[in-house]
Amino acid sequence: MSRLNPEVIVYVVSDAAGDTGELVVRAAIAQFHPLHTEIRRAPFITEEAGLQRIIQQAKQVDAIVIYTLVIPHLRDSMKKLAETHHVAAIDLLGSFIETLEMRTGRKSRQEPGLNHVLDADYFRKVEAVEFAVKYDDARDTSGVLKADIVLVGVSRTSKTPLSMYLAHQKFKVANVPLVPELKPPEELFKLPKRKVIGLTIGVPYLNTIRKERLKALGLPNNASYATTDRIEKELLYADNIMKQIGCVVIDVSHRAVEETASLIMEYVRMP
């Protein structure tokens, strides 16, 4: 019988940056939305000691390990360690690399990170990711004026995952939480309205998501954060702010991050 778990932890292990593994994980997670999943990336692992540390950590929290290791001895070590410690581990590259070697009669180059050629395009992506981290959740409101896209919405409307996804598409994204007790930053009202994307969500849907989040944190699901009255108050407040800005609003109910991101990119690229 399957075991229900409100939160899944996934380690993404790579001898390069780990982008490939994380993108695959996010694509799979989207099929289980709104399952709360924590992705822990472990990039640039070049020694077996690093693999041992990750496997031990993963076992402690019953995590799944996804790995994209192109160096053969690291792949072999990871497989053995996972089997020894009974950790669920999936090799995303190994089988395909071995099949290509057999089909072509050539050995792979065994060089991590070859899909990240250090050109201007790659550096733009890195810069966008760093921007999304720095200006997440309005930690520094100056980012609002520097961003290509500014996401606004109440808590748990996927602002941070959307920011990171769009950053990988080379958009500089800042996000601002809308909370009735906090005044929105003045910078928000100085932007061209086309730069701002409002995110909204259905009350029952957000109620479910917030309750699951509280459970994952070990908190009672009847906290005010997840009550219908509180959610309705927050959404009404957010709706009023979005109307003041005059921005487009996207309903993220029942939408995966990838789908919402696609709608946002389509909108911002419109002439």
Side-chain angles (χ1 to χ4, degrees):
M1 184 171 69
S2 63
R3 178 166 57 89
L4 295 177
N5 191 340
E7 180 178 51
V8 174
I9 298 173
V10 181
Y11 278 83
V12 177
V13 185
S14 177
D15 42 20
D19 289 346
T20 301
E22 182 166 344
L23 286 173
V24 171
V25 171
R26 291 195 180 281
I29 289 170
Q31 301 301 317
F32 296 88
H33 191 70
L35 175 73
H36 178 69
T37 308
E38 180 182 347
I39 299 174
R40 300 180 181 178
R41 196 191 288 204
F44 306 112
I45 300 296
T46 57
E47 297 179 353
E48 186 174 333
L51 300 180
Q52 291 174 337
R53 183 181 67 254
I54 292 160
I55 285 293
Q56 289 169 358
Q57 292 172 353
K59 184 172 183 177
Q60 289 176 358
V61 293
D62 194 23
I64 299 169
V65 174
I66 301 290
Y67 57 101
T68 55
L69 300 167
V70 301
I71 301 174
H73 78 85
L74 289 179
R75 286 205 308 270
D76 293 342
S77 294
M78 177 59 92
K79 183 178 180 180
K80 291 174 183 176
L81 284 167
E83 289 174 350
T84 299
H85 294 278
H86 305 290
V87 172
I90 301 167
D91 181 1
L92 291 182
L93 293 182
S95 296
F96 188 45
I97 288 175
E98 292 167 3
T99 300
L100 285 174
E101 287 178 336
M102 292 177 61
R103 177 64 61 87
T104 64
R106 300 172 58 182
K107 295 294 290 182
S108 71
R109 292 171 62 176
Q110 300 176 10
E111 296 178 37
L114 289 181
N115 59 327
H116 289 314
V117 179
L118 298 183
D119 56 12
D121 192 61
Y122 176 69
F123 284 115
R124 279 196 297 271
K125 181 188 291 187
V126 171
E127 186 180 4
V129 170
E130 291 175 346
F131 187 96
V133 172
K134 182 176 182 180
Y135 298 111
D136 181 48
D137 221 20
R139 293 172 188 163
D140 181 348
T141 57
S142 67
V144 169
L145 298 176
K146 303 172 187 176
D148 300 319
I149 300 169
V150 178
L151 304 176
V152 298
V154 302
S155 172
R156 311 310 294 178
T157 48
S158 300
K159 294 186 299 298
T160 297
L162 277 168
S163 295
M164 294 307 299
Y165 187 95
L166 291 167
H168 279 84
Q169 306 303 316
K170 300 179 288 295
F171 289 98
K172 291 182 179 179
V173 184
N175 73 74
V176 177
L178 298 179
V179 184
E181 292 78 14
L182 298 176
K183 185 178 179 181
E186 291 296 327
E187 293 90 340
L188 199 57
F189 302 94
K190 298 176 183 178
L191 292 173
K193 63 182 182 181
R194 283 190 60 82
K195 276 195 171 188
V196 184
I197 305 292
L199 303 174
T200 190
I201 190 169
V203 174
Y205 197 60
L206 184 54
N207 178 254
T208 300
I209 292 173
R210 288 190 174 183
K211 283 182 176 180
E212 289 298 325
R213 180 56 176 160
L214 289 171
K215 286 181 184 178
L217 294 173
L219 299 172
N221 64 8
N222 61 350
S224 62
Y225 173 74
T227 62
T228 300
D229 288 346
R230 174 64 190 184
I231 290 171
E232 288 176 345
K233 179 181 177 180
E234 287 188 31
L235 289 174
L236 180 60
Y237 172 78
D239 183 60
N240 288 333
I241 295 297
M242 293 173 196
K243 284 178 179 175
Q244 290 178 45
I245 298 169
C247 62
V248 67
V249 178
I250 297 175
D251 190 336
V252 301
S253 304
H254 305 290
R255 279 201 172 103
V257 168
E258 291 83 356
E259 183 183 357
T260 305
S262 179
L263 291 173
I264 292 171
M265 289 187 288
E266 183 180 350
Y267 174 75
V268 299
R269 286 169 176 162
M270 287 172 58

